Amino acid sequence: MSRVVPTYHQRVAQEKRALIVTAATALFLELGYDRTSLARIAERSGVSRATLFKQFPSKAALFDAIVTESWSTADEEDPPPAGNVVDGLSAIGRRYAELLSRPQMTDLFRIVIAELPRFPELAHAQFSHGKMPYFESVRSYLLAEHEAGTVRVEDVDLAATQFLGMISNYVFWPTLLVPGWEVSAERVSQVVDEAVRTIAARYAATGPGASTND
């Protein structure tokens, strides 16, 4: 019985946290970051002000939570083990495409872009707490493949940027900019497969894509 009470309270706290984050995201989009108060967020989410302030003492802390929630896949799963770059990049690419397809990711970028002139710290939070940790996980994977000898990548930052860019340029950015833009699951799979083939060919340990500089 002693284990049930903490588990129950933890579940309730998580549910309230999710309600707060959802309400805050919606209000930031509707009213803007500056015009949205924590009191208004508490009212929209249906929780008491005390509950909200206990979880999020400031709007900045709440925005950080929105970033964390949006990029949560990066924290939930480690990069695949090195040894098969096609399988590894396929797993990473599909994970990334799924991440970018989430409505909350589009919401996050819209908030950051809209508030950038007045609140550049939101962009810094989005970059340092969201995009950069995910990028670093992909970079680390490519470095591990390089060290394992499965690929030859002299500039892992560039290679990670190339790979993620091929996916995001098709899957994400049109969705952000063009109302009603949709990409089918079949097309997403094709985009990821082509990105994997391109990187695997370009950075092959032997063959035309291999570097000749030691």
Side-chain angles (χ1 to χ4, degrees):
M1 180 68 93
S2 61
R3 295 183 180 180
V4 174
V5 174
T7 301
Y8 168 78
H9 286 298
Q10 184 180 33
R11 178 172 60 81
V12 170
Q14 290 172 346
E15 290 173 352
K16 290 182 177 180
R17 178 186 178 88
L19 288 172
I20 293 168
V21 169
T22 299
T25 302
L27 285 169
F28 289 158
L29 286 168
E30 292 172 19
L31 305 177
Y33 181 81
D34 190 34
R35 294 175 58 195
T36 300
S37 66
L38 288 177
R40 189 186 290 267
I41 293 170
E43 180 181 2
R44 172 71 70 91
S45 60
V47 305
S48 68
R49 296 188 186 186
T51 296
L52 186 145
F53 281 107
K54 182 178 180 180
Q55 295 226 25
F56 305 106
S58 67
K59 276 200 298 185
L62 184 45
F63 185 79
D64 286 347
I66 292 174
V67 172
T68 300
E69 292 289 334
S70 299
W71 289 91
S72 58
T73 296
D75 297 327
E76 292 168 359
E77 301 179 59
D78 294 326
N84 188 318
V85 71
V86 172
D87 287 350
L89 286 179
S90 293
I92 291 173
R94 281 168 173 71
R95 187 187 307 170
Y96 188 55
E98 186 277 329
L99 185 70
L100 295 179
S101 298
R102 297 177 180 180
Q104 58 263 44
M105 183 63 75
T106 305
D107 291 343
L108 171 63
F109 271 81
R110 284 176 175 155
I111 292 169
V112 169
I113 292 170
E115 301 293 352
L116 184 59
R118 291 179 299 168
F119 299 99
E121 64 270 20
L122 300 185
H124 290 301
Q126 182 329 63
F127 189 80
S128 61
H129 299 318
K131 182 176 177 58
M132 200 59 198
Y134 190 87
F135 176 86
E136 183 58 32
S137 71
V138 179
R139 179 190 180 281
S140 296
Y141 168 75
L142 287 172
L143 181 60
E145 291 286 10
H146 173 80
E147 292 174 346
T150 50
V151 291
R152 188 163 185 172
V153 185
E154 303 300 334
D155 189 336
V156 289
D157 287 349
L158 179 59
T161 300
Q162 290 169 334
F163 180 63
L164 297 177
M166 282 188 282
I167 297 171
S168 63
N169 282 348
Y170 198 99
V171 174
F172 178 71
W173 291 111
T175 304
L176 184 68
L177 300 173
V178 181
W181 179 275
E182 293 184 3
V183 183
S184 68
E186 293 78 11
R187 188 61 167 168
V188 170
S189 181
Q190 181 185 7
V191 168
V192 172
D193 288 344
E194 288 299 321
V196 170
R197 292 190 186 100
T198 300
I199 293 298
R202 166 62 182 84
Y203 295 105
T206 59
S211 170
T212 58
N213 297 321
D214 292 326

